[in-house]
Amino acid sequence: MTETNLTNCDVEPIHIPGKVQSHGFLVAVNAESYTINYVSDNTTQHLDINPKDLLGQNIVKLNDRLQEIAEDVDLVDLLKLGARQNGFDTINPYKIKIKEQPFYLIIHKSNGSFVLEFEVATLEYDIQNIIGKAVSEILVNKSLDTLLKKAAQEVKSMIEYDRIMIYKFHEDGHGEVVSEVKNDDLEPFFGLHYPASDIPKQARELYKLNLTRIIADVNIDSIPISTTASNKPLDLTQSTLRAVSPIHIEYLKNMGVASSFSISLISQGELWGLIACHNYSPKFIDFKAREGCKLIGNILSSALEYRQVEENSELQNHYTNRITELTENLERDKVIVNALTGYPTTLLDIV
């Protein structure tokens, strides 16, 4: 295997890391036979069953184990329902208690497998009850700058990360912090520019497909995934538990960041930027809290499209009016220098 470093991180296969983060566990089954073909190695911790004892077995074995230590659940019924509906949006997240610990079960399909991710549910942030007010607060702002600032403020008040940044990608790929809300003791990042290589192309593509991304603790090792398909790593593009590139982990550590969370901002089908959230101690927000934040991102993305079109129209009208005035000045004054510089509207207004 080729070692990944800063010289080749733009080709790192970050969608198939072969590992998951430690705040949950993963089981994947063949979508036709329901045979378990991938298991994260921490099932021993959560289910008191060795992953090797699950691999190659029908999902019924996992279901039987859950019946013993968790609430009543029928995994086969859930998978069949998702297959009939051609997706699991109406099912996710499915709440279940395992050994008295609340979990969310999140299911998606990856190529020929159904991926079942069991993620700890903290129930700490009751975002659903405050999301309406937050959205209203964001949308009353007319200018793009105040819209972004208010969005950052609302996200910070909801999930309480130390620093919330709105990060915009420019046409050449480099990024700029165009809005920021932070704890008072932190140095500002507002206005800073970062090279395009900081977020490589394949990472940006994943941000377009999976709109939220959490890294709960950069100092905890990822959990390997065992499999019966040794030459076919599981595609974790849509995974909530997908492990993080070691290069990105090192990047965050160098910044002193212990945990991060991001929400993608999409405008006209392209990645406009990110709501990037940093915390300087380990921090985890569960699936429902992240979904609430994703709704903020979706609404902000729509507002961005509208505001940009609106502001572009206003700018175009401004230029059209200034050009008309300059044309009139040139017709009125035969001395070109005076026509371009001697009136309230000058050449500087259109350059």
Side-chain angles (χ1 to χ4, degrees):
M1 179 179 291
T2 303
E3 181 181 356
T4 301
N5 53 52
L6 289 175
T7 63
N8 66 354
C9 63
D10 59 328
V11 295
E12 182 185 6
I14 56 177
H15 63 299
I16 48 171
K19 297 179 180 181
V20 294
Q21 295 186 64
S22 63
H23 53 267
F25 64 96
L26 176 150
V27 176
V29 303
N30 181 282
E32 300 295 331
S33 66
Y34 291 173
T35 301
I36 297 171
N37 48 11
Y38 299 90
V39 182
S40 64
D41 287 356
N42 56 349
T43 53
T44 305
Q45 171 191 340
H46 294 289
L47 302 177
D48 300 324
I49 187 169
N50 192 297
K52 292 180 181 178
D53 294 331
L54 288 173
L55 282 172
Q57 302 296 313
N58 190 275
I59 196 173
V60 171
K61 180 159 186 174
L62 172 63
N63 202 92
D64 289 345
R65 182 58 186 152
L66 289 174
Q67 299 278 18
E68 294 171 3
I69 62 173
E71 299 170 327
D72 188 41
V73 62
D74 192 323
L75 297 179
V76 173
D77 275 359
L78 291 178
L79 295 181
K80 288 181 176 178
L81 177 59
R84 286 197 302 271
Q85 296 178 343
N86 200 30
F88 295 89
D89 289 346
T90 61
I91 298 170
N92 295 333
Y94 186 88
K95 192 175 176 183
I96 182 174
K97 272 190 177 180
I98 301 175
K99 295 193 290 188
E100 300 306 313
Q101 166 68 55
F103 277 78
Y104 286 131
L105 167 59
I106 304 109
I107 309 173
H108 72 277
K109 190 173 184 181
S110 175
N111 297 326
S113 295
F114 289 128
V115 181
L116 295 80
E117 298 180 276
F118 297 81
E119 181 187 289
V120 171
T122 65
L123 313 177
E124 182 180 359
Y125 297 95
D126 190 12
I127 284 180
Q128 303 304 318
N129 288 335
I130 60 176
I131 196 77
K133 179 178 180 295
V135 170
S136 298
E137 290 287 337
I138 291 170
L139 293 180
V140 296
N141 295 280
K142 296 300 182 183
S143 75
L144 186 57
D145 287 344
T146 55
L147 174 74
L148 296 176
K149 184 75 171 181
K150 190 60 181 176
Q153 289 172 341
E154 291 297 327
V155 171
K156 184 164 183 16
S157 69
M158 286 193 297
I159 57 175
E160 301 172 331
Y161 275 66
D162 295 330
R163 186 194 304 273
I164 310 292
M165 297 169 286
I166 309 290
Y167 189 88
K168 178 183 178 180
F169 294 113
H170 290 273
E171 287 188 10
D172 64 357
H174 90 274
E176 178 187 0
V177 180
V178 294
S179 192
E180 178 185 47
V181 179
K182 63 179 184 62
N183 293 353
D184 292 340
D185 60 326
L186 298 176
E187 64 174 307
F189 288 174
F190 175 70
L192 294 183
H193 292 248
Y194 295 87
S197 58
D198 276 14
I199 303 179
K201 181 180 179 181
Q202 80 276 30
R204 298 182 198 214
E205 289 303 311
L206 287 184
Y207 280 126
K208 288 166 63 175
L209 298 171
N210 199 339
L211 300 183
T212 62
R213 176 71 164 140
I214 189 167
I215 302 170
D217 189 343
V218 299
N219 294 305
I220 293 183
D221 291 337
S222 300
I223 309 298
I225 297 173
S226 295
T227 179
T228 56
S230 57
N231 63 342
K232 189 178 180 183
L234 182 62
D235 187 334
L236 296 177
T237 295
Q238 297 292 349
S239 168
T240 67
L241 291 173
R242 174 167 46 87
V244 187
S245 158
I247 294 176
H248 188 58
I249 290 291
E250 196 62 34
Y251 179 84
L252 292 174
K253 286 181 177 179
N254 290 339
M255 296 177 69
V257 175
S259 53
S260 72
F261 173 56
S262 65
I263 310 159
S264 302
L265 299 175
I266 309 294
S267 180
Q268 298 177 344
E270 296 299 325
L271 185 65
W272 183 95
L274 300 169
I275 303 176
C277 313
H278 286 175
N279 215 63
Y280 295 89
S281 60
K283 187 176 181 69
F284 172 70
I285 58 172
D286 67 22
F287 181 83
K288 277 204 168 181
R290 300 198 304 272
E291 286 295 286
C293 292
K294 183 166 78 173
L295 178 59
I296 292 287
N298 290 342
I299 291 167
L300 181 55
S301 293
S302 297
L304 280 171
E305 286 200 14
Y306 176 76
R307 294 290 195 279
Q308 283 185 299
V309 169
E310 189 178 58
E311 291 194 0
N312 288 343
S313 178
E314 289 176 0
L315 189 60
Q316 184 61 49
N317 289 337
H318 170 80
Y319 281 131
T320 300
N321 291 338
R322 299 296 84 79
I323 289 172
T324 298
E325 291 170 8
L326 279 177
T327 301
E328 292 173 352
N329 293 344
L330 286 166
E331 292 175 351
R332 182 186 307 117
D333 195 326
K334 300 305 180 184
V335 180
I336 294 178
V337 173
N338 287 344
L340 295 178
T341 62
Y343 293 87
T345 298
T346 72
L347 184 61
L348 293 177
D349 289 311
I350 62 168
V351 297

